[in-house]
Amino acid sequence: MMDRIRRIWQRSRSAGQSMGSNLASPPEEGFAGQATDVPEPSHSQLKLVEGDHWNHLCSRCRNLRVYESTSERNPNSNIVISGLQLESGLQSRCTLCKMMMNHIRSRSSGAVLYGRIKYPDSGTHIGWLEAFQSTHGDFVLSTEYDDPAASVLSRRPPLTTYDSEGAYTQIRQWMSECFYSGSHHECKAPASAPLPRRVIDVGTINQDPFLVIPKPGAMGPYVALSYCWGLSQPVTLTAAKLRMGLITRLVKFPLQQLPQTLRDAIVICRRLGFKYIWIDALCIIQDSPNSEDWMIESSMMNEVYGNATLTIAASGATEASQGIFSFPFNPEEETCTIPYRLLDGRVGKAFVRFYPHKGKKVEALARRAWALQESLMSPYVLSYHTDQLVWQCHTTRIFADGPVTVDQPQLARKWENVIAHYTQCGMTFPSDKLAAISGYAKSRSDTDKSDSFRYAEGGNSYLAGLWLSHLPSQLLWCADQSAVQPRPAFRAPTWSWASIDSPIQYKLSTTAIYTFQVLDYSIAASKLDPFGPIDAYPPSYIRIKACVKSASGIRIRLTGMQTEICMEERLHSNYFTVNFDTIEDRSTLLSYTRPCKNGNETFLYEFSPLSFLPITICQALLIAPVVKGGLEHEINVFQRLGVVIDSHQTNFSNKFKDAAETTIILV
């Protein structure tokens, strides 16, 4: 498979070099980015551009400059089209000027379209026009595979079906460019990697797929599938089926009996030349969800997806029965063709299509928690969206048809950002909250050895979704107050975001200024997966030395569901917002109150057991004592109720000057 991709790249390199020595030795700069030593087209070539084939264009559009030669690889192009030029083109009934003017919705001279330049080779400063960008959208250029312009234009006309030779050619070219071109500086050809414990041999047109149990240490390329199960999965690997397979040495999965998404993924593997695919439904025993096999496999997701040569993401399908090929793209936008003149004088044909700027579309798969982890761990992802193919790697994200975007890395890898995104995703079983991110957590622990990520002593322990090295700041997560839920059955200690069902975010991230020293901790994690689910007993806790201040006598103001507190008795004092973790936590606070003369304000009872645990200049935890919970022999045991925030960062720190250092246990 990899040799085949390498040959494709070598053929494309040969085709590019055939354009002449100008690509190997970039011309000198000229006025406004013009190349001074680019050969002028012959009279016959100019006639081709000026001939009847392009009579729908004005003279400017017929001779549009489509290259840029600069001393630096600068995406800010000098190729521009002004509103005045478009108005001039309208007078000559130019179809391109008309299309552009219609879409930019402005006939003023201030309208400007900026050419976006792509540099196809790391060794040249010659870039090629791939789109015009405006405030309203992108005018994207594409061409056919056999057109001369295909040597520099990477986009092709919109696909009408995903199961077509055009689609597979596009995918192979992406893989070739990513693995072998050298232009993807963060990418490289996948090395031979260990196969997962079980994989599916995709078979052939005359042979159904079947389960393979590789020998320990077996290496080879394989594909991993990321998809939405939906309500049911009609064909799975069961313990009985696996036992029978060990006897007969064959566990078949008839292609026609598989859900459509799985069938389509197997077809894709066959067409791309891959022999093996990993699919969770067929490679993990599914009739015992909490079995040892499930725990082992779920803890290895970082290796399964991280070692895959390619991950196929069925992004548009909401369930496995829907399939990958079910979303043909039927473009409705008008197009226009223009000549695309190469440096050797050849003239290709480019299609111009407008893609308006829209709000970011969230595909079905992107809303699933397990799928987020799979995306984070996969180095190369081929996503089948509802309207187009998308390639994502370490270096870039490419939309097959449009719009043109600046190179985008994968989702920001800062742990707090990942978790904020993760908690917005859905999962069928909320009890999987730690399991569905455990693979990515393990990969972070294995690969990130930087001083900023490691704890000073004892390594960087993982504490139920938080990292010991960043514990003070990571304790300050806030539940989305518009979606606060009741507290679910135990999944994690109250100080962990995994203990609640609401989405969370980190609001004001600042450095801890109060005493916060972790003395010891205990996490009741499984030995099979120390990054996965934890047990309720023995209780998980962190013992810390910190500043603690009693919440007795504070004033509370209720405005709808918003709760604010004031630590001073005088009127017009500063109020601070309380973000509760669950509905019950708000009730706990209010259970210690008594009405005040001012109708919407209350006071805590003078001897309230609630306390504040200040951490930063503008954030403190609100904590309550715990009487039971397996630590009755301990003193100063607290649970978390929420976070108190001073959004102005002005007077908060003064309120905790008298906070006493003490040792407490958070559960």
Side-chain angles (χ1 to χ4, degrees):
M1 171 63 199
M2 302 312 297
D3 289 340
R4 183 181 182 185
I5 295 173
R6 189 179 290 107
R7 287 195 297 273
I8 292 171
W9 165 244
Q10 290 170 345
R11 287 198 299 270
S12 66
R13 288 278 295 175
S14 298
Q17 291 170 353
S18 68
M19 292 189 300
S21 60
N22 290 295
L23 277 179
S25 179
E28 299 176 0
E29 279 189 86
F31 177 72
Q34 284 276 16
T36 58
D37 62 349
V38 176
E40 291 297 324
S42 65
H43 176 75
S44 60
Q45 291 166 342
L46 280 175
K47 185 176 180 180
L48 173 63
V49 177
E50 296 287 352
D52 293 341
H53 192 62
W54 309 109
N55 60 10
H56 60 285
L57 301 174
C58 63
S59 60
R60 178 186 55 78
C61 291
R62 282 198 299 269
N63 294 283
L64 187 67
R65 183 164 59 90
V66 295
Y67 61 87
E68 179 100 345
S69 176
T70 61
S71 58
E72 297 181 1
R73 298 162 63 85
N74 188 351
N76 299 318
S77 168
N78 290 318
I79 302 176
V80 298
I81 299 178
S82 69
L84 287 176
Q85 289 175 314
L86 293 178
E87 290 181 352
S88 175
L90 287 177
Q91 296 176 7
S92 58
R93 299 182 179 180
C94 175
T95 55
L96 179 60
C97 291
K98 178 181 178 181
M99 184 180 75
M100 288 182 166
M101 188 60 85
N102 286 343
H103 285 296
I104 64 175
R105 305 188 187 104
S106 172
R107 294 178 179 271
S108 68
S109 59
V112 178
L113 298 173
Y114 295 93
R116 173 159 172 80
I117 300 299
K118 180 181 179 182
Y119 293 87
D121 187 272
S122 58
T124 180
H125 295 305
I126 296 179
W128 295 92
L129 177 69
E130 65 172 353
F132 278 104
Q133 297 176 291
S134 74
T135 56
H136 301 286
D138 299 337
F139 295 89
V140 181
L141 277 62
S142 63
T143 192
E144 299 286 0
Y145 290 97
D146 56 354
D147 192 274
S151 59
V152 291
L153 270 181
S154 60
R155 282 182 171 78
R156 304 294 172 254
L159 299 168
T160 56
T161 176
Y162 288 142
D163 189 20
S164 65
E165 186 54 38
Y168 296 117
T169 300
Q170 176 71 83
I171 296 166
R172 294 185 191 106
Q173 288 189 348
W174 279 339
M175 295 173 70
S176 296
E177 182 177 353
C178 183
F179 298 161
Y180 304 115
S181 72
S183 61
H184 286 205
H185 306 295
E186 301 296 324
C187 303
K188 59 183 178 180
S192 184
L195 291 171
R197 293 173 70 213
R198 305 179 189 113
V199 289
I200 302 299
D201 188 310
V202 299
T204 65
I205 192 170
N206 298 316
Q207 181 186 35
D208 282 322
F210 58 92
L211 182 69
V212 173
I213 302 178
K215 294 180 180 179
M219 314 279 278
Y222 67 93
V223 171
L225 178 63
S226 179
Y227 67 109
C228 293
W229 272 45
L231 297 178
S232 64
Q233 186 74 266
V235 181
T236 61
L237 179 65
T238 63
K241 191 177 291 185
L242 182 59
R243 284 194 300 268
M244 182 60 66
L246 294 176
I247 297 173
T248 63
R249 296 189 177 182
L250 187 63
V251 178
K252 285 187 177 181
F253 294 103
L255 188 64
Q256 297 306 314
Q257 295 180 14
L258 295 177
Q260 192 63 51
T261 295
L262 277 59
R263 290 162 59 181
D264 292 347
I266 288 171
V267 169
I268 294 169
C269 288
R270 290 175 177 177
R271 293 293 299 271
L272 293 178
F274 285 99
K275 182 178 178 63
Y276 298 123
I277 186 171
W278 187 91
I279 303 174
D280 58 357
L282 309 183
C283 296
I284 303 176
I285 297 174
Q286 299 293 336
D287 53 351
S288 302
N290 294 317
S291 67
E292 180 177 337
D293 185 77
W294 187 90
M295 290 290 292
I296 292 174
E297 291 291 340
S298 65
S299 70
M300 297 174 65
M301 291 299 96
N302 64 310
E303 299 172 15
V304 169
Y305 285 92
N307 291 335
T309 306
L310 178 68
T311 294
I312 294 174
S315 301
T318 58
E319 57 185 34
S321 62
Q322 205 166 358
I324 296 175
F325 301 147
S326 304
F327 305 98
F329 178 38
N330 299 312
E332 299 178 356
E333 293 290 342
E334 61 181 315
T335 60
C336 179
T337 57
I338 63 170
Y340 203 92
R341 185 161 65 93
L342 303 176
L343 294 181
D344 61 0
R346 289 182 301 158
V347 179
K349 181 193 294 185
F351 304 97
V352 184
R353 183 182 299 275
F354 180 71
Y355 289 89
H357 291 163
K358 299 178 180 178
K360 184 178 179 181
K361 182 179 181 180
V362 180
E363 299 287 335
L365 188 63
R367 296 192 290 266
R368 306 302 299 172
W370 282 97
L372 173 62
Q373 174 178 245
E374 292 157 7
S375 174
L376 287 167
M377 294 183 298
S378 299
Y380 309 103
V381 182
L382 175 64
S383 295
Y384 286 80
H385 287 206
T386 52
D387 58 359
Q388 63 178 312
L389 283 170
V390 179
W391 174 266
Q392 182 167 304
C393 59
H394 293 300
T395 304
T396 188
R397 182 183 294 125
I398 305 173
F399 295 85
D401 305 322
V404 175
T405 58
V406 177
D407 290 349
Q408 301 175 15
Q410 293 186 356
L411 177 70
R413 299 309 180 93
K414 186 178 179 182
W415 183 257
E416 291 85 350
N417 295 343
V418 170
I419 295 305
H421 186 175
Y422 175 75
T423 58
Q424 297 178 42
C425 297
M427 58 179 60
T428 304
F429 303 104
S431 58
D432 289 346
K433 196 139 194 177
L434 284 172
I437 199 68
S438 66
Y440 180 61
K442 183 180 179 182
S443 70
R444 286 287 295 261
S445 178
D446 291 342
T447 61
D448 197 328
K449 309 297 183 183
S450 64
D451 291 339
S452 63
F453 196 72
R454 304 296 292 178
Y455 193 57
E457 297 179 2
N460 188 29
S461 297
Y462 184 69
L463 310 180
L466 289 73
W467 295 97
L468 181 60
S469 58
H470 289 58
L471 192 59
S473 61
Q474 289 186 5
L475 282 171
L476 295 170
W477 52 267
C478 297
D480 183 347
Q481 296 301 285
S482 66
V484 175
Q485 304 292 319
R487 185 171 292 280
F490 179 86
R491 289 197 301 260
T494 60
W495 42 265
S496 168
W497 51 263
S499 67
I500 66 172
D501 288 332
S502 307
I504 69 102
Q505 56 184 315
Y506 288 87
K507 289 191 174 181
L508 300 172
S509 180
T510 55
T511 304
I513 62 170
Y514 294 93
T515 299
F516 191 100
Q517 180 183 357
V518 178
L519 302 178
D520 71 272
Y521 58 86
S522 177
I523 305 297
S526 166
K527 292 182 179 179
L528 293 174
D529 185 9
F531 296 88
I534 63 176
D535 298 325
Y537 295 97
S540 298
Y541 67 86
I542 50 176
R543 190 192 310 269
I544 59 176
K545 184 178 181 180
C547 295
V548 178
K549 178 180 175 65
S550 172
S552 296
I554 65 172
R555 195 160 71 241
I556 300 173
R557 182 167 64 193
L558 304 176
T559 306
M561 291 302 295
Q562 179 172 317
T563 304
E564 298 173 300
I565 62 172
C566 178
M567 300 181 189
E568 299 175 337
E569 294 186 4
R570 61 186 178 86
L571 296 177
H572 308 299
S573 298
N574 290 308
Y575 279 83
F576 308 121
T577 303
V578 183
N579 286 269
F580 292 103
D581 298 342
T582 67
I583 293 175
E584 291 88 347
D585 293 333
R586 187 173 191 267
S587 300
T588 298
L589 174 66
L590 298 181
S591 68
Y592 293 106
T593 62
R594 55 183 173 82
C596 179
K597 290 182 180 180
N598 191 351
N600 68 338
E601 292 190 4
T602 58
F603 282 104
L604 280 181
Y605 279 129
E606 190 62 30
F607 299 103
S608 165
L610 304 186
S611 297
F612 298 108
L613 174 58
I615 295 179
T616 74
I617 195 172
C618 56
Q619 296 158 301
L621 297 185
L622 180 63
I623 56 178
V626 176
V627 178
K628 299 180 180 180
L631 293 172
E632 290 83 359
H633 60 287
E634 298 280 2
I635 60 172
N636 292 336
V637 180
F638 293 85
Q639 68 176 15
R640 172 184 153 137
L641 300 183
V643 178
V644 181
I645 298 177
D646 172 17
S647 58
H648 300 292
Q649 304 187 40
T650 53
N651 301 294
F652 194 69
S653 59
N654 296 330
K655 307 301 182 292
F656 296 110
K657 288 181 177 180
D658 57 345
E661 285 190 10
T662 186
T663 298
I664 66 170
I665 295 175
L666 289 180
V667 296

